[in-house]
């Protein structure tokens, strides 16, 4: 069974740090599946004042995209290591 974070993994050719590679983007539904939340949660986070959740790009009123690189950084920022907390 693939890891829940499999969608966040990139091959060297898709590495966001590689300026020659195309930037990878995910839809609200794809990010919701990765985070195991309902898409409405991401919509609620975006409409909060101030906005919450991972960084996003609103292309139209119906299309919002999330950068895989930004999502990885946002998840890392919210990571809690129990060995460091103790």
């Amino acid at each position: 069974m693939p890891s829940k974070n499999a969608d966040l993994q990139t091959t060297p050719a898709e590495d966001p740090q590689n300026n020659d590679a195309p930037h990878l983007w995910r839809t609200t539904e794809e990010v919701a599946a990765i985070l195991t939340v309902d898409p409405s949660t991401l919509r609620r986070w975006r409409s909060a004042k101030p906005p919450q959740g991972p960084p996003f790009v609103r292309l139209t009123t119906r299309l919002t995209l999330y950068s895989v690189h930004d999502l990885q950084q946002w998840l890392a920022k919210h990571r809690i290591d129990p060995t460091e907390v103790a």
Side-chain angles (χ1 to χ4, degrees):
M1 180 176 196
S3 163
K4 287 183 183 177
N5 292 331
D7 289 335
L8 290 177
Q9 297 173 357
T10 59
T11 64
E14 298 170 328
D15 182 356
Q17 300 299 324
N18 179 356
N19 292 332
D20 297 330
H23 208 75
L24 300 176
W25 297 91
R26 299 288 184 257
T27 64
T28 297
E29 290 73 18
E30 291 169 328
V31 172
I34 291 167
L35 299 177
T36 63
V37 299
D38 195 82
S40 65
T41 300
L42 289 167
R43 291 185 198 99
R44 188 175 65 250
W45 289 347
R46 290 194 309 255
S47 63
K49 301 291 183 212
Q52 301 172 355
F56 58 91
V57 175
R58 189 179 320 263
L59 294 177
T60 69
T61 56
R62 293 178 154 259
L63 180 60
T64 300
L65 296 178
Y66 294 84
S67 158
V68 169
H69 179 70
D70 287 345
L71 185 56
Q72 289 170 327
Q73 287 185 324
W74 182 79
L75 286 169
K77 193 166 78 173
H78 287 82
R79 180 178 181 268
I80 298 171
D81 185 344
T83 61
E84 293 177 5
V85 176

